[in-house]
Amino acid sequence: METFNIPATPSLMKEFLRQMGGTAVIDGGLATVLELHGADLNDPLWSAKCLLTSPHLIRSVHLDYLEAGADIIITASYQATIQGFEAKGFSREQSENLLKKSVDIALEARPSVGSYGAYLADGSEYSGCYGEAMTVNALKEFHRRRVQVLAEAGPDIIAFETVPNKIEAQAFAELLEEEHIKIPAWLTFNSKDGVNVVSGDSLLQCASIAESCKQVVAVGINCTPPRFIHDLILAIKKVTTKPIVIYPNSGERYDADRKEWVENTGVSDEDFVSYVNKWCEIGASLVGGCCRTTPNTIKAIYRALSDRSPAAPGQK
């Protein structure tokens, strides 16, 4: 399949999407498919554990998604943090090298930066409840070196995803500017009510933060039930001119106490994909899946958008 470099400005991102026929396909759940391959992810590092134990499985999942039709591939860095690796006994240098490894594994890599809650491994990325003492500055210092290391590894784009509250969105935006990060980025938020982000903060305020950051080339929603996506896209459109990126979960509910997804609470691939063209019609440009989606989901998305064709020069 063809591969594409992700441009570094919002206008060039739009040109990239025009060449793709208006939409691009993102891959789906990483941890879900790693488990299908036999990985045991019962660990605070979650999918990043495989960087230590079985990097070949990560590579295999990337290939699964490429074969399914994904244009953009996620790496195993969502829950990979320097602090998390150090808690496992690795040195700072070893921890940074593991972050770089997550980029090296995928030829067309899109490293993802999870929220502070992903590091805590207590489900707080699904609540945004970090405590009243947490500040923008504290979050910047937590993420700073991680962002530097990932940017130095030379990916096409950095995805700041599952952002659950306004202060973390602000921290990411300020970090990109303070560190003069040249790699383009996107910010995606999660919601459990179809109106606000999971902390209860205003989605409009969060998306406005992404809109105001020049290094951010797209803004959107991930790890959110499909039934909420339509209204969330319409809300985001009110405050951004940037491309909108959407990669929901399967709709299953996550039990943070048991640290597992509750079976039979989501939608089938057929139902999931039935939404896709509607999302694109109202403004989504990049579409994929998050937790509990698989290469079969992405293949179905690709087929649903199979009438895409690169636009000729000068066409819109």
Side-chain angles (χ1 to χ4, degrees):
M1 73 178 278
E2 292 181 285
T3 57
F4 299 86
N5 291 321
I6 306 297
T9 67
S11 61
L12 289 178
M13 170 61 95
K14 291 177 181 178
E15 172 61 18
F16 162 74
L17 289 168
R18 187 191 67 80
Q19 293 176 4
M20 295 294 293
T23 56
V25 178
I26 307 168
D27 66 357
L30 178 62
T32 300
V33 186
L34 286 171
E35 289 177 326
L36 291 175
H37 279 280
D40 178 6
L41 304 184
N42 185 19
D43 190 280
L45 289 175
W46 200 25
S47 56
K49 176 186 176 184
C50 289
L51 291 170
L52 306 173
T53 62
S54 45
H56 66 285
L57 290 184
I58 297 174
R59 187 174 292 107
S60 179
V61 174
H62 291 334
L63 291 173
D64 288 346
Y65 279 118
L66 286 171
E67 291 175 3
D71 301 308
I72 300 174
I73 297 298
I74 296 172
T75 71
S77 55
Y78 169 78
Q79 206 152 2
T81 65
I82 293 170
Q83 296 91 334
F85 288 129
E86 288 179 332
K88 290 286 187 179
F90 292 91
S91 69
R92 173 57 63 99
E93 181 180 4
Q94 289 172 322
S95 300
E96 292 184 2
N97 285 337
L98 284 166
L99 282 181
K100 294 174 184 176
K101 185 177 182 178
S102 72
V103 178
D104 293 338
I105 287 175
L107 294 178
E108 288 294 306
R110 180 179 68 82
S112 60
V113 176
S115 65
Y116 176 68
Y119 158 71
L120 296 176
D122 61 0
S124 55
E125 70 263 50
Y126 302 112
S127 70
C129 297
Y130 296 167
E132 294 181 2
M134 183 54 68
T135 65
V136 170
N137 284 336
L139 287 169
K140 284 196 294 185
E141 291 314 304
F142 174 81
H143 289 294
R144 189 179 303 275
R145 184 56 186 155
R146 180 189 186 191
V147 171
Q148 291 171 339
V149 170
L150 289 173
E152 290 166 3
D156 291 321
I157 196 165
I158 300 175
F160 295 90
E161 61 184 18
T162 326
V163 181
N165 52 41
K166 185 169 63 176
I167 63 169
E168 196 148 30
Q170 189 66 45
F172 286 141
E174 291 183 14
L175 262 184
L176 288 169
E177 295 181 355
E178 291 174 7
E179 296 300 321
H180 306 290
I181 301 297
K182 302 300 183 184
I183 305 298
W186 73 44
L187 261 68
T188 55
F189 304 91
N190 55 339
S191 174
K192 58 186 176 184
D193 62 5
V195 178
N196 300 306
V197 300
V198 292
S199 64
D201 289 343
S202 165
L203 173 62
L204 295 181
Q205 291 180 3
C206 291
S208 294
I209 291 170
E211 171 70 9
S212 66
C213 181
K214 63 182 181 180
Q215 288 94 335
V216 172
V217 298
V219 58
I221 299 291
N222 78 294
C223 212
T224 295
R227 66 184 182 275
F228 293 143
I229 298 301
H230 183 279
D231 288 346
L232 294 170
I233 292 173
L234 295 179
I236 291 172
K237 284 177 65 176
K238 294 178 182 178
V239 295
T240 188
T241 59
K242 297 177 180 180
I244 295 176
V245 53
I246 298 296
Y247 47 118
N249 57 38
S250 69
E252 291 181 55
R253 183 173 59 84
Y254 183 74
D255 187 325
D257 294 328
R258 298 171 60 184
K259 298 187 184 303
E260 61 184 33
W261 294 88
V262 181
E263 292 186 4
N264 301 318
T265 57
V267 300
S268 66
D269 282 348
E270 182 179 7
D271 288 339
F272 185 105
V273 174
S274 70
Y275 292 105
V276 168
N277 281 306
K278 298 174 185 175
W279 294 337
C280 293
E281 286 170 6
I282 63 171
S285 299
L286 301 108
V287 181
C290 199
C291 294
R292 309 298 287 174
T293 62
T294 70
N296 286 335
T297 317
I298 302 311
K299 184 181 293 184
I301 292 173
Y302 177 81
R303 288 173 176 168
L305 301 175
S306 61
D307 58 350
R308 298 177 306 160
S309 60
Q315 292 184 342
K316 295 184 178 180

